[in-house]
Amino acid sequence: MDEQPVTSHLTPLQGARDGQVYFQAHEVSAMLRNIAGSWSSSSADGDPVWDSPGQDPVTLDGPTVQTLAQVLARQADQIDMQCISMTSADPANPSQHRADEAGSAPQDESTDATALEHGALLLGTAERVFATFTGHRHDTDLSRQVIEVLAQAIDDPATYGEQLEAFAEKFRERLEAAYADYGPGRAHAAQDGRYVLAGQPEGLIVWERLSAIRSRIRLKIAWSHSDLPVSMLDDMAQAWGMTL
């Protein structure tokens, strides 16, 4: 890639009084992903990863370029994750901040009931769509544990069904291939109990959440705050053709 497309993605913020130049975080993370994508394409095509006027082009071997691209993509994810975490609290709700400072907030019965209702909605939707791919029986206890975490990465469980169905329809061939490789009874699934969520209906929700940047970051944050093993999410990302 050349120099111009990189700098053209950034717009300096006006009004800084300390003499420093600042940029919006989302522009920086987008720039990093743009560079990572360009590097990946360049390595695949055999082109230089950096070509600046008046300087010798920089050419690296494919594996090295891919590693560097992954590092940039992960750094972009970290920036977005930190920004989401910083803005996730409601500044207009002082009681929320007091509860956060105390370390935990008491939940009443209505809150628990709502959480159970949302979980049931999500699992019912996932089971219905999952049945269009396989009739495999799943572990309902595991489903409840994972759904509780996934619900934290979904804005409105009541309307999420349409979104999941649209995802399954758009990526049906890719999902069928993933189930063929990693689903129940497949060779990959037998490797030390890995890819267990590929045989679970809630695995569809995991793949849907992984398919967009913001939802992927929200999923990673929710997962990191749970007791579920990180390897379980990493396996699903790998089965979907990405790394976290």
Side-chain angles (χ1 to χ4, degrees), residues 122-145:
L122 290 174
L123 183 56
T125 297
E127 288 175 338
R128 185 174 65 254
V129 180
F130 182 69
T132 67
F133 291 95
T134 176
H136 175 71
R137 296 173 64 88
H138 62 279
D139 183 338
T140 55
D141 289 337
L142 177 59
S143 290
R144 284 191 287 268
Q145 295 176 44

Side-chain angles (χ1 to χ4, degrees), residues 45-67:
D45 298 336
D47 296 330
V49 296
W50 189 267
D51 192 2
S52 182
Q55 300 180 13
D56 294 334
V58 177
T59 302
L60 298 172
D61 61 278
T64 299
V65 175
Q66 291 299 324
T67 298

